[in-house]
């Protein structure tokens, strides 16, 4: 016998254990956090908690868009088959013979089945294979008939000699049966009540339940594949059911609070049924169709959102599978976990896709909450490991006055609906002291219902209902020239530079020929000083003025009055930026750049009367310019008054105008004269406020290309320390501004909301 | 001079102590993995230990000297049971999910002959090789090989591939100690290493689920995860998604048991998550966590300390048994101890290798630790024989 050979055996075994120990060191010391992450991933269950989207409010706090709690009744097959008598009985029968009996049948037959199960033999239960199925059968029998019966059955099955008894003969069955029957009755009654309070016929509820169960069965069948042995096959089916049966189906939508209460109070009798509370974006009925395109709408996440979410998830999966994480990677991992749980857009999320809903998405969107739970020691229930509450989105208060907005839109809609007129247009009202926009109305405009459902048609509509003519072009795609509404600005430029004096006069001959072009005037006027020229809107005067002033001077003045670039209503808003608020695209402002280069004599003349290409402007720009004329400084407009958590937004920085107070006074007098006896003389002071005087200017720019002229009216009120600046645009009317726009403005003044506002804000 | 008949004085602590340690670990973790299941198996495990201790005491009383001549009869008896199993035994889902065969002893206790076959083979080989040993001729290997191969075949047909594989190291160890030439042993070992892959490819040798397990081992999930990661780094997202789909299919299927065993062990870290508190244990992801995969619970709940302690105890036990083999002058006794050491050692190595993901999954209990009566009783009987040899190490029972 080789004694030394013993050492060989020892050496081999030691080597084996050595390798094993090295492996353990690797797994448990070096790679421990990789496996901990994987363990976490496989045992923690995450449930998302929805957040509430921020509201959009008008300046007085009236909601233009809010969230509402909506309640749906949900059905979850897995909870039903595990918790309710009908579910347990039908599942038990399915385990025994493989036939699925739908919930509707189960609820009808449950009493009979409970009775008939007593006829089953102990030997039948013993014969169930594979073992997992047998265990499940016994578990369901326990749930149905109670623990004493289950122990008796267990004893009977363990015995060596085959037991010839029926289940009904075993101790515990006769006690458990009536309890089960009573439970079943109570559950059926509770379900009937639930259906009634939810406002649905019971048959419909049952049909939905049947569908849900059939769907789960179908999915399991498709996924099951082949398995090596009956044991493995059953294990697979079982596992698939555990997964698919957990899906929820909607039984009833938008149910009452009573329904929610019922489901909560009688929850024990309604296993598998729950009321899910969701928060949905809702537009209050009375303000539903107000500023629809401006407020915008909600849609599915954009492709960019989806790709960002996917990228985050991929990166998170990458980091989870890495062996070693550096400190930065670990920090990134933690951050990504939070982003994916709380912030990223999931496929079912909503996000603003148009208007303010889109532009203010970052403010309005909240953060999801979540609950991470792990299994309890008993393996059945779960406990919360970690959780984070949802964060509500921020409420945004706009500068808009809902009443004025509604009045302005109503007036525009009347024009559109009027057969003899039918013009699209826009109306802007703002406060010249602060730049706050009080109304930003456009027509045509889709109703909220159409905005939600008729998108393709709206896009294709030749009238361009999706255009916001207050801040951008209409259906033609071109911004309107301001026409004669530009004249006060030209006048001020000339006065300020001294190339014209207020008393200087020019004679209007009705037309002027420059080269091959004939430039006209609306009428024959005689000698006109500046004020009168403004009042009657004499073109010839301004042609002469333009020759004196020169194109560069006029262009510079246009720039000072805010033409040539967007006003920065939302994007480019310095006040918002200073608060740290970022705005996304959604409310787009258009503008035409003023440009450099030299202007010909013809172009300069056109420029002076607001007909040059570089003049093209939006009603908002015009209103801002007139607000500046009225108040003496230019305050850029803003649409957001306050954001929850950021406080009130400060007004934007005011910019000085050109010229001194005297020059401005002259121009103002011209505007007042226009309203008194000039082109805007038909403006009526609002009833009950006859002392309120308006200063205004009309405009009738030619558009060319065979299309009719536009019409403008712009001005401010009251004449001293104005509180309101306005611009009215009517597209392609073919009429003078006086004829087309003044009646619209008068109609606006007569609206009850306008009167109320004026009385409240201006009269005293 | 010790009182040879007093069992208490003959207690060989170098063998008994590690064995007791391992039994205690087994009891603790059978409790941890089953106490919440509704079928607490702790009491049964304790009963098995008691039965094993009793059987061991009986064996030590009778003495190896008196039992040795019965080796052949013992071997044939167990082999006969094994062969007759399909006829006389119950069959049903076993601990690892496949169909097992066992003989019912009443009260729900099962006897698994394959466990006792291993011990019976040790006895038979030791008896046959005690004088002659093996020599230079291949012919001298024939009989030992035969008495190993026949039970191997029948054990494998139980099916119990794991236990059948343990017979091979036992054969090699005992043949080595009984004088085989190094060359021969090396040849035998390498041919076994070659034959096993052949068995994989020859249809009918391995059953479907066994083949699946090997597949899952060859492409283990961590390697697939690494592959997917690399594909993503190369921006090949489609291919990466395919690999990830394979991973999630594996996670649900065959590779799952072993994967989660590794997860459990790895996530135990150095100090573990606490007895009874392991996350994987609680979520019951590792099937048969009280039996073949009990080491997963040890790793998860006692961490590196626990696993290293277990490894240390096995080393100590095997070392103690081999020390007895070294010191004894009785050839049969020496071979018996070597056989027992090889049995326990290789079975432990295989089970731990499986649990840590180094070997493909075959069903195999962890000696003295896993839940299971036949395994504990047969192991304790084997250790009792070793202790009997130890206290009589100066005696030679059988003269050549």
């Amino acid at each position: 016998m080789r004694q030394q050979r013993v050492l060989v055996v020892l050496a081999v075994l030691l080597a084996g254990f050595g390798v094993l120990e090295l492996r353990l060191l690797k797994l448990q010391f070096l790679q421990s956090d990789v496996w901990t992450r994987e363990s976490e991933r496989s045992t923690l269950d995450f449930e998302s908690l929805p957040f509430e989207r921020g509201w959009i409010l008008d300046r007085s706090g009236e909601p233009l868009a809010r969230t509402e709690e909506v309640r749906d009744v949900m059905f979850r097959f897995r909870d039903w088959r595990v918790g309710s008598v009908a579910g347990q009985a039908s599942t038990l029968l399915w385990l025994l013979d493989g036939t699925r009996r739908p919930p509707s049948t189960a609820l009808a037959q449950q009493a009979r089945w409970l009775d008939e199960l007593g006829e089953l033999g102990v030997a039948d239960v013993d014969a169930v294979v594979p073992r997992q199925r047998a265990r499940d059968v016994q578990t369901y029998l326990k749930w149905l008939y109670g623990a004493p019966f289950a122990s008796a059955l267990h004893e009977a099955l363990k015995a060596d000699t085959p037991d010839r008894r029926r289940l009904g003969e075993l101790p515990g069955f006769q006690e458990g049966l009536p309890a089960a029957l009573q439970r079943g009755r109570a559950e059926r009654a509770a379900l009937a009540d639930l259906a009634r309070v939810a406002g649905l016929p019971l048959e419909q509820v049952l049909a939905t339940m049947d569908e849900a169960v059939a769907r789960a069965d179908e999915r399991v069948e498709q996924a099951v594949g082949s398995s090596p042995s009956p044991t493995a096959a059953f294990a697979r089916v079982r596992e698939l059911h555990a997964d698919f049966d957990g899906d929820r189906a909607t039984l009833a939508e938008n149910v009452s609070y009573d329904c929610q209460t019922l489901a909560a109070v009688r929850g024990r009798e309604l296993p598998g049924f729950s009321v899910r509370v969701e928060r949905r974006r809702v537009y209050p009925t009375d303000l539903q169709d107000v500023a629809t395109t401006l407020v915008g709408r909600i849609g599915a996440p954009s492709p960019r959102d989806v790709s960002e979410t996917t990228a985050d998830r991929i990166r998170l999966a990458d980091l989870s599978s890495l062996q070693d994480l550096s400190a930065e990677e670990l920090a990134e991992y933690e951050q990504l976990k939070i982003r994916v749980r709380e912030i990223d857009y999931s496929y079912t999320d909503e996000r603003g896709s148009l208007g303010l809903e889109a532009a203010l998405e970052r403010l309005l969107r909240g953060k999801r909450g979540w609950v991470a739970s792990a299994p309890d020691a008993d393996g059945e229930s779960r406990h919360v490991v970690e959780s984070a509450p949802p964060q509500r989105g921020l409420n945004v208060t706009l500068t808009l006055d809902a009443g004025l907005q509604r009045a302005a839109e109503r007036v525009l809609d009347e024009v559109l609906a009027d057969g003899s007129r039918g013009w699209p247009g826009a109306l802007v009202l703002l406060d010249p002291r602060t730049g706050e926009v009080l109304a930003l109305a456009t027509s045509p405009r889709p109703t909220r219902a159409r905005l939600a459902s008729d998108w393709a048609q709206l896009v294709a509509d030749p009238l361009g209902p999706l255009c916001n003519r207050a801040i951008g072009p209409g259906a033609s795609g071109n911004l309107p020239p301001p026409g004669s509404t530009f004249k006060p600005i030209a006048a001020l430029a000339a006065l300020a530079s001294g190339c014209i004096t207020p008393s200087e006069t020019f004679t209007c001959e009705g037309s002027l020929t420059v080269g091959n072009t004939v430039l006209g005037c609306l009428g024959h006027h005689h000698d006109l000083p500046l004020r009168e020229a403004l009042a009657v809107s004499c073109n010839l005067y301004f042609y002469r003025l333009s020759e004196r002033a020169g194109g560069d001077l006029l262009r510079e003045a246009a720039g000072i009055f805010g033409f040539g670039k967007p006003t920065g209503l939302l994007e480019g808003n310095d006040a918002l930026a200073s608060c740290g608020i970022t705005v996304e695209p959604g409310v787009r402002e258009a503008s035409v750049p003023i440009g450099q280069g030299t202007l010909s004599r013809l172009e300069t003349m056109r420029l002076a009367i607001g007909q040059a290409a570089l003049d093209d402007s939006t009603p908002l720009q015009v209103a801002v310019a007139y607000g500046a004329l009225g108040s003496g400084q230019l305050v850029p407009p803003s649409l957001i008054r306050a954001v929850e958590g950021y406080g009130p937004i400060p007004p934007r920085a005011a910019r000085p105008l050109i010229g001194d107070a005297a020059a401005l006074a002259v121009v103002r007098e011209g505007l007042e004269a226009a309203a008194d006896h000039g082109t805007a003389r038909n403006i009526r002071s609002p009833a009950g406020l006859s002392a309120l005087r308006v200063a205004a200017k009309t405009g009738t720019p030619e558009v060319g290309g065979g299309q009719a002229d536009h019409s403008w009216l712009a001005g401010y009120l009251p004449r001293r320390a104005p509180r309101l600046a306005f611009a009215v645009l009517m597209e392609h009317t073919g009429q003078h501004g006086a004829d087309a726009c003044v009646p619209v403005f008068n109609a606006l003044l007569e609206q009850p909301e306008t009167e109320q506002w004026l009385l409240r804000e201006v009269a005293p | 001079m010790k009182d040879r008949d007093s069992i208490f004085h003959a207690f060989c602590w170098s063998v008994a102590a590690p064995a007791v340690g391992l039994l205690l670990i087994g009891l603790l973790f059978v409790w941890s993995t089953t106490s919440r299941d509704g079928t607490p198996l702790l009491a049964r495990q304790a009963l098995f230990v008691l039965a094993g201790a009793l059987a061991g005491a009986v064996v030590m009383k009778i003495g190896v000297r008196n039992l040795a001549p019965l080796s052949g009869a013992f071997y044939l008896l167990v082999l006969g049971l094994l062969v007759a199993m399909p006829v006389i035994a119950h069959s049903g889902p076993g601990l690892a999910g496949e169909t097992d065969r066992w003989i019912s002893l009443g009260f729900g206790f099962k006897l698994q002959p394959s466990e006792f076959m291993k011990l019976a083979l040790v006895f038979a080989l030791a008896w046959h090789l005690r004088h002659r040993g093996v020599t230079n001729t291949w012919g001298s290997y024939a009989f030992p090989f035969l008495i190993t191969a026949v039970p191997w075949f029948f054990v494998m047909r139980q099916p119990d591939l794991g236990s059948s594989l343990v017979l091979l190291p036992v054969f090699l160890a005992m043949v080595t100690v009984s004088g085989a030439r190094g060359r021969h042993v090396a040849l035998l070992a390498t041919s076994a290493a070659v034959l096993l892959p052949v068995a994989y490819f020859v249809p009918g040798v391995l059953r479907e689920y066994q083949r699946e397990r090997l597949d899952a081992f060859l492409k283990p999930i961590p390697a697939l995860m690494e592959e997917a990661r690399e594909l993503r780094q190369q921006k090949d997202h489609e291919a990466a998604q395919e690999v990830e789909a394979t991973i999630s299919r594996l996670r649900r299927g065959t590779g799952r048991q072993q994967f989660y065993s590794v997860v459990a062990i790895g996530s135990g870290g150095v100090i573990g998550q606490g007895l009874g508190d392991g996350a994987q244990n609680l979520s019951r992801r590792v099937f048969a966590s009280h039996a073949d995969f009990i080491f997963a619970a040890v790793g998860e709940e006692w961490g590196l300390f626990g696993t290293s302690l277990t490894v240390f105890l096995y080393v100590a036990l095997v070392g103690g048994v081999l020390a007895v083999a070294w010191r004894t002058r009785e050839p049969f006794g020496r071979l018996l101890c070597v056989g027992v050491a090889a049995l326990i050692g290789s079975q432990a190595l295989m089970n731990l290798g499986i649990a840590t993901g180094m070997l493909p999954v075959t069903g195999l209990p962890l000696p003295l630790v896993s839940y299971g009566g036949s395994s504990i009783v047969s192991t304790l009987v084997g250790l009792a024989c070793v202790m009997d040899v130890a206290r009589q190490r100066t005696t030679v029972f059988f003269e050549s």
Side-chain angles (χ1 to χ4, degrees):
Chain A
M1 290 294 117
R2 305 283 200 274
Q3 199 187 29
Q4 289 82 350
R5 291 302 183 86
V6 173
L7 290 179
V8 172
V9 175
L10 179 67
V12 169
L13 288 174
L14 278 181
F17 282 110
V19 168
L20 187 69
E21 185 64 29
L22 285 176
R23 172 81 172 165
L24 287 171
L25 275 170
K26 180 174 169 196
L27 286 181
Q28 296 187 299
F29 182 62
L30 294 176
Q31 294 182 347
S32 171
D33 41 329
V34 174
W35 299 110
T36 309
R37 275 206 294 281
E38 179 64 35
S39 177
E40 209 183 62
R41 182 141 69 118
S42 65
T43 53
L44 284 184
D45 216 11
F46 277 98
E47 211 181 296
S48 247
L49 305 173
F51 60 81
E52 191 182 325
R53 193 175 170 84
W55 294 15
I56 300 179
L57 311 164
D58 92 326
R59 65 184 298 115
S60 55
E62 215 179 317
L64 293 164
R66 61 184 170 81
T67 48
E68 193 179 65
E69 271 191 356
V70 178
R71 282 164 285 273
D72 296 336
V73 180
M74 311 299 293
F75 170 68
R76 200 182 202 191
F77 175 38
R78 185 169 71 201
D79 298 338
W80 180 78
R81 70 166 160 77
V82 159
S84 76
V85 167
Q88 289 163 358
S90 67
T91 310
L92 178 59
L93 292 173
W94 172 77
L95 283 169
L96 288 171
D97 65 13
T99 313
R100 173 75 72 194
R101 292 147 179 85
S104 51
T105 316
L107 278 161
Q109 302 284 340
Q110 59 182 358
R112 199 170 69 121
W113 290 347
L114 284 170
D115 221 12
E116 284 176 0
L117 279 168
E119 299 299 311
L120 211 60
V122 173
D124 298 323
V125 176
D126 203 8
V128 173
V129 281
R131 190 155 89 170
Q132 181 62 58
R133 195 198 296 259
R135 277 209 286 259
D136 286 345
V137 164
Q138 289 179 54
T139 307
Y140 275 93
L141 283 170
K142 177 167 96 171
W143 286 343
L144 279 171
Y145 298 103
F149 168 75
S151 321
L153 178 63
H154 189 60
E155 286 305 315
L157 290 170
K158 266 188 342 187
D160 283 328
T161 53
D163 197 320
R164 298 198 188 287
R165 289 181 290 176
R166 310 223 159 266
L167 290 186
E169 295 165 22
L170 290 174
F173 186 89
Q174 295 304 328
E175 291 77 13
L177 176 60
L181 288 170
Q182 186 178 22
R183 223 166 26 99
R185 277 197 297 272
E187 286 167 5
R188 198 166 46 195
L191 181 58
D193 285 341
L194 183 67
R196 185 175 44 83
V197 176
L200 290 178
L202 185 58
E203 296 78 44
Q204 191 178 337
V205 170
L206 293 175
T208 315
M209 288 166 69
D210 288 349
E211 265 172 43
V213 172
R215 204 170 33 240
D217 279 338
E218 224 180 272
R219 289 176 73 189
V220 170
E221 216 181 279
Q222 280 173 0
V224 76
S226 67
S227 293
S229 64
T231 312
F234 181 72
R236 181 125 178 88
V237 164
R238 193 172 185 271
E239 200 182 289
L240 287 170
H241 267 295
D243 192 2
F244 293 143
D245 293 354
D247 287 348
R248 289 184 167 92
T250 312
L251 282 183
E253 284 184 334
N254 228 330
V255 297
S256 64
Y257 191 63
D258 289 337
C259 200
Q260 183 181 2
T261 320
L262 190 151
V265 164
R266 291 169 74 178
R268 293 177 125 242
E269 295 155 24
L270 290 167
F273 301 94
S274 59
V275 173
R276 182 175 69 180
V277 178
E278 234 186 58
R279 301 201 161 86
R280 284 196 211 139
R281 184 52 123 204
V282 157
Y283 301 95
T285 337
D286 52 342
L287 287 177
Q288 210 176 50
D289 292 328
V290 168
T292 45
T293 39
L294 182 62
V295 169
R297 66 172 195 164
I298 301 279
S302 68
R304 202 187 72 175
D305 297 327
V306 169
S307 68
E308 267 177 23
T309 306
T310 313
D312 278 350
R313 290 212 170 117
I314 290 175
R315 180 76 183 135
L316 189 63
D318 277 353
L319 288 175
S320 306
S321 65
L322 280 184
Q323 314 281 46
D324 301 294
L325 288 185
S326 66
E328 295 122 26
E329 282 171 327
L330 202 60
E332 193 189 344
Y333 176 76
E334 294 298 323
Q335 268 178 14
L336 271 178
K337 261 193 340 200
I338 293 180
R339 271 232 304 271
V340 167
R341 282 182 211 166
E342 298 180 6
I343 298 178
D344 281 345
Y345 288 91
S346 77
Y347 295 101
T348 51
D349 270 354
E350 302 175 317
R351 81 107 74 212
S353 61
L354 182 75
L356 288 170
E357 296 273 23
L360 304 174
E361 173 74 12
R362 286 212 203 150
L363 300 171
L364 297 172
R365 182 174 171 79
K367 282 194 202 168
R368 281 191 292 270
W370 48 269
V371 174
S373 60
D376 261 351
D378 64 10
E380 288 294 325
S381 43
R382 304 183 72 89
H383 59 272
V384 173
V385 168
E386 222 188 320
S387 73
Q391 277 183 42
R392 201 178 165 286
L394 301 171
N395 287 347
V396 175
T397 307
L398 304 176
T399 58
L400 291 185
D401 184 303
L404 286 180
Q405 177 80 16
R406 203 175 9 210
E409 287 179 346
R410 193 183 302 130
V411 160
L412 289 177
D413 290 344
E414 274 170 15
V415 173
L416 196 63
D418 185 346
S420 59
R421 296 188 285 175
W423 310 309
L427 210 160
V428 176
L429 299 172
L430 56 83
D431 184 335
R433 304 171 302 164
T434 60
E436 291 182 318
V437 174
L438 298 168
L440 200 70
T442 176
S443 89
R445 200 177 58 259
T447 59
R448 183 145 297 285
R450 285 201 73 203
L451 192 60
S453 58
D454 267 351
W455 185 255
Q457 280 183 333
L458 291 172
V459 170
D461 192 332
L463 270 182
L466 292 176
C467 307
N468 192 333
R469 287 166 166 85
I471 53 175
S476 65
N478 298 321
L479 289 180
S484 304
T485 56
F486 190 75
K487 287 175 182 165
I489 296 164
L492 187 62
L495 282 174
S497 68
C499 50
I500 287 252
T501 65
S503 49
E504 215 176 318
T505 64
F506 292 103
T507 307
C508 170
E509 298 106 7
S511 69
L512 182 65
T513 312
V514 177
N516 294 335
T517 322
V518 178
L519 300 170
C521 184
L522 292 176
H524 275 266
H525 313 109
H526 302 292
D527 299 349
L528 296 172
L530 180 55
R531 286 184 192 78
E532 278 309 305
L534 280 172
V536 304
S537 199
C538 174
N539 288 350
L540 262 287
Y541 183 96
F542 280 92
Y543 296 147
R544 300 277 181 235
L545 182 145
S546 74
E547 286 175 319
R548 293 268 188 95
D552 291 335
L553 186 71
L554 293 177
R555 202 159 42 183
E556 194 191 318
I560 289 175
F561 272 86
F563 293 95
K565 48 187 186 308
T567 60
L569 186 65
L570 279 178
E571 290 181 63
N573 187 321
D574 45 313
L576 288 179
S578 72
C579 292
I581 295 174
T582 359
V583 167
E584 293 190 12
V587 177
R588 206 171 34 168
E589 242 194 295
S591 82
V592 170
I594 296 183
Q596 315 280 7
T598 7
L599 292 169
S600 68
R601 188 170 160 231
L602 191 60
E603 281 164 8
T604 310
M605 288 183 179
R606 285 218 172 100
L607 176 56
I609 63 164
Q611 290 271 189
L614 60 84
D615 274 319
D616 288 354
S617 49
T618 62
L620 178 62
Q621 282 170 321
V622 171
V624 170
Y626 274 76
L629 286 173
S631 66
Q633 57 179 8
L634 186 124
V635 182
S638 52
L639 194 54
I640 298 184
R641 190 164 191 224
V643 175
E644 196 182 345
Y646 286 87
I649 310 292
R652 298 171 67 181
R655 301 204 292 263
L657 300 175
I658 41 179
D660 57 2
L664 192 56
V666 172
V667 173
R668 284 201 187 120
E669 283 160 21
L671 296 177
E672 290 169 16
D676 288 338
H677 59 260
T679 52
R681 63 183 173 275
N682 287 329
I683 294 182
R684 284 196 300 274
S685 297
L689 284 162
S690 48
L692 193 63
R693 310 304 307 280
V694 179
K697 181 77 193 72
T698 59
T700 316
E702 289 171 0
V703 184
Q707 290 180 302
D709 302 340
H710 293 317
S711 309
W712 282 93
L713 177 71
Y716 52 86
L717 66 89
R719 293 181 177 179
R720 300 284 167 268
R723 295 295 310 278
L724 195 66
F726 59 88
V728 182
L729 166 72
M730 290 276 118
E731 278 188 357
H732 301 304
T733 60
Q735 296 181 10
H736 293 313
D739 300 323
C741 294
V742 168
V744 175
F745 188 65
N746 287 337
L748 175 67
L749 290 178
E750 283 165 11
Q751 299 298 313
E753 293 97 342
T754 326
E755 286 186 7
Q756 274 174 28
W757 187 89
L758 288 170
L759 282 170
R760 200 176 62 226
E761 302 283 333
V762 180
Chain B
M1 186 116 122
K2 292 189 194 149
D3 180 359
R4 278 184 285 154
D5 290 328
S6 167
I7 295 172
F8 183 74
H9 284 299
F11 227 58
C12 175
W13 287 105
S14 62
V15 168
V20 167
L22 287 167
L23 286 172
L24 279 175
I25 291 181
L27 286 168
L28 279 174
F29 280 94
V30 165
W31 173 82
S32 166
T33 52
T34 60
S35 63
R36 284 161 279 266
D37 212 349
T39 43
L41 296 174
L42 177 63
R44 288 172 151 243
Q45 180 81 335
L47 215 61
F48 296 147
V49 172
L50 223 61
L54 220 61
V58 166
V59 160
M60 283 183 80
K61 186 73 175 158
I62 298 177
V64 169
R65 176 187 216 158
N66 298 321
L67 287 173
L70 301 173
S71 301
F74 179 35
Y75 173 88
L76 286 171
L77 177 68
V78 180
L79 186 60
L81 266 178
L82 210 56
V83 172
M85 285 295 272
V87 176
I88 63 172
H90 292 258
S91 76
L95 287 169
E98 67 273 21
T99 310
D100 251 1
R101 296 216 181 94
W102 69 89
I103 297 173
S104 179
L105 296 175
F107 300 102
F109 289 106
K110 299 181 242 173
L111 174 71
Q112 288 199 290
S114 28
E115 293 297 325
F116 289 98
M117 193 69 243
K118 300 182 233 181
L119 191 62
L121 178 67
V122 170
F123 265 90
L125 278 173
W127 186 247
H128 171 77
L129 292 170
R130 75 186 185 284
H131 290 313
R132 288 156 297 199
V134 291
T135 60
N136 288 345
T137 62
W138 282 106
S140 64
Y141 286 92
F143 192 64
F145 185 75
L146 186 69
I147 56 178
T148 308
V150 170
W152 178 82
F153 179 76
F154 284 103
V155 167
M156 213 194 70
R157 280 285 157 197
Q158 282 291 295
D160 195 348
L161 182 63
S163 293
S164 73
L165 289 177
V166 164
L167 297 179
L168 188 65
V170 166
F171 169 75
L172 283 174
M174 294 179 76
V175 149
T176 306
V177 170
S178 75
R181 289 181 60 128
R183 217 176 40 221
H184 291 161
V185 174
L187 201 62
L188 281 170
T190 43
S191 57
V194 165
L195 275 176
L196 282 174
V198 170
Y200 174 69
F201 287 111
V202 171
V205 176
L206 287 179
R207 298 211 179 156
E208 186 62 46
Y209 72 91
Q210 289 167 334
R211 200 182 294 267
E212 257 182 39
R213 279 175 164 175
L214 199 57
D215 278 334
F217 174 75
L218 290 173
K219 265 286 187 165
I221 289 180
L224 286 174
M225 282 165 77
E226 191 66 33
E227 191 181 323
R229 184 173 86 86
E230 259 155 48
L231 285 171
R232 289 222 178 268
Q233 277 188 342
Q234 294 162 16
K235 306 288 183 203
D236 191 353
H237 290 304
E238 262 186 44
Q241 265 174 359
E242 264 185 53
V243 175
E244 279 161 2
T246 310
I247 292 177
S248 49
R249 207 180 55 241
L250 278 179
R251 279 219 178 94
R252 288 176 165 279
T254 317
R256 180 178 162 157
Q257 207 176 10
Q258 190 177 39
F259 178 68
Y260 283 111
S261 169
V262 175
V263 168
I265 293 176
S267 62
V270 175
I271 58 173
Q273 299 181 15
L275 188 66
D277 288 339
Q280 295 290 328
N281 185 12
L282 288 176
S283 56
R284 248 94 57 94
R285 283 197 178 260
V286 180
F287 187 61
S289 58
H290 58 292
D292 295 356
F293 277 93
I294 196 167
F295 195 62
V298 176
E300 187 180 32
E301 299 187 353
W302 276 8
L304 188 59
F305 285 138
T307 53
S308 303
L309 175 67
T310 313
V311 169
F312 171 74
L313 286 174
Y314 276 114
V315 169
L317 181 63
V318 163
V321 172
L322 286 175
V324 172
W326 174 273
R327 285 199 301 258
T328 190
R329 290 170 52 196
E330 162 49 47
F332 174 82
R334 175 174 299 161
L335 282 168
L336 186 68
C337 292
V338 168
V340 169
L343 187 59
I344 295 179
S346 60
Q347 189 158 328
L349 273 176
M350 278 177 64
N351 179 296
L352 297 182
I354 291 168
T356 52
M358 292 197 295
L359 295 171
V361 175
T362 52
L364 202 59
L366 190 58
L368 298 180
V369 179
S370 280
Y371 173 81
S374 304
S375 169
I376 289 196
V377 169
S378 64
T379 311
L380 285 177
V381 165
L383 287 174
C385 294
V386 169
M387 291 204 294
D388 190 52
V389 169
R391 67 177 168 158
Q392 301 184 57
R393 63 176 180 275
T394 50
T395 320
V396 175
F397 300 152
F398 311 103
E399 303 296 337
S400 48

